[in-house]
């Protein structure tokens, strides 16, 4: 989901089940500046979300945090009621734990997924403005940091500089 939305990890971890618009494959997130913006995902996330929402009895979670920790919180570390799943009693997955799990199971960094999405969009020759829209960066310089043309893109651009062929 982080890769397909190109969103910040904290924004995605803050999502609640009731925020998801599964039909249109989107969800509202609170951006860095506090504004509410939409993030969009594609088939990979759309395929996995129903599995994430399924409860052991076969029913589906309808509200509460989207991403949950493995265990229920101990009384000494009880989070806010909004951060506990009413169906399972498990707490919202925190940034630090998500970072550890992703590193352990996939050898990836949470923020690396956002950067990879921007880089792959650049490799696919998506215009900078669209990449900025997807990543929700406000400054083109920030976005350009992640858009590094690969060897194929450089070779393709080189063709533009080649002398024109004569047709007669």
């Amino acid at each position: 989901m982080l890769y397909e939305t190109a969103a910040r990890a904290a924004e995605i971890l803050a999502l609640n089940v009731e925020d998801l618009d599964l039909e249109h494959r989107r969800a509202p997130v609170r951006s860095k500046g506090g504004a509410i913006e939409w993030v969009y995902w594609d088939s990979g996330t759309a395929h996995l979300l129903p599995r994430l929402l399924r409860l052991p009895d076969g029913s589906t979670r309808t509200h509460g945090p989207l991403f949950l920790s493995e265990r229920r919180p101990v009384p000494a570390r009880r989070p806010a009621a909004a951060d506990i799943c009413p169906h399972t009693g498990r707490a919202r997955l925190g940034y630090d734990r998500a970072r550890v799990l992703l590193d352990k199971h996939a050898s990836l960094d949470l923020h690396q997924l956002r950067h990879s999405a921007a880089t792959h969009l650049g490799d696919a020759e998506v215009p900078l403005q669209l990449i900025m829209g997807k990543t929700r960066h406000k400054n083109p310089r920030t976005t350009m940091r992640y858009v590094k043309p690969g060897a194929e893109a450089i070779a393709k651009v080189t063709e533009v500089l080649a002398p024109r062929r004569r047709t007669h």
Side-chain angles (χ1 to χ4, degrees):
M1 187 174 204
L2 286 173
Y3 177 77
E4 287 188 3
T5 62
R8 293 170 186 88
E11 296 169 341
I12 296 300
L13 292 171
L15 283 175
N16 289 323
V17 175
E18 61 270 20
D19 296 333
L20 302 176
D21 181 352
L22 296 173
E23 182 181 347
H24 297 106
R25 297 180 178 180
R26 65 184 188 159
V29 294
R30 185 168 303 280
S31 68
K32 262 184 168 177
I36 300 296
E37 300 180 83
W38 290 90
V39 294
Y40 299 85
W41 59 83
D42 203 2
S43 58
T45 300
H47 178 72
L48 293 174
L49 278 176
R51 293 167 136 187
L52 185 64
L53 300 176
R54 194 172 307 124
L55 290 167
D57 65 4
S59 63
T60 303
R61 293 191 294 135
T62 56
H63 53 286
L66 177 60
F67 295 98
L68 301 173
S69 63
E70 306 94 42
R71 298 183 231 148
R72 294 179 179 196
V74 295
R77 300 186 64 138
R78 191 101 179 134
D83 290 332
I84 297 178
C85 176
H87 303 283
T88 65
R90 292 168 35 204
R92 182 182 305 277
L93 182 63
Y95 185 92
D96 289 336
R97 186 65 184 148
R99 184 180 49 77
V100 167
L101 290 171
L102 194 63
D103 181 46
K104 177 181 175 183
H105 295 289
S107 299
L108 291 171
D109 181 84
L110 276 177
H111 204 66
Q112 181 183 3
L113 294 168
R114 178 172 162 82
H115 295 182
S116 296
T119 301
H120 293 152
L121 290 171
D123 289 346
E125 299 180 17
V126 172
L128 184 63
Q129 285 181 314
L130 287 177
I131 298 172
M132 286 177 63
K134 180 69 175 169
T135 60
R136 293 173 296 110
H137 284 123
K138 303 297 180 229
N139 188 333
R141 286 183 139 181
T142 307
T143 309
M144 288 170 49
R145 191 179 322 163
Y146 309 115
V147 180
K148 300 172 184 94
E152 277 185 42
I154 301 292
K156 189 172 182 180
V157 160
T158 304
E159 293 172 8
V160 173
L161 301 174
R164 295 185 185 259
R165 300 179 108 209
R166 294 191 175 194
T167 56
H168 61 247

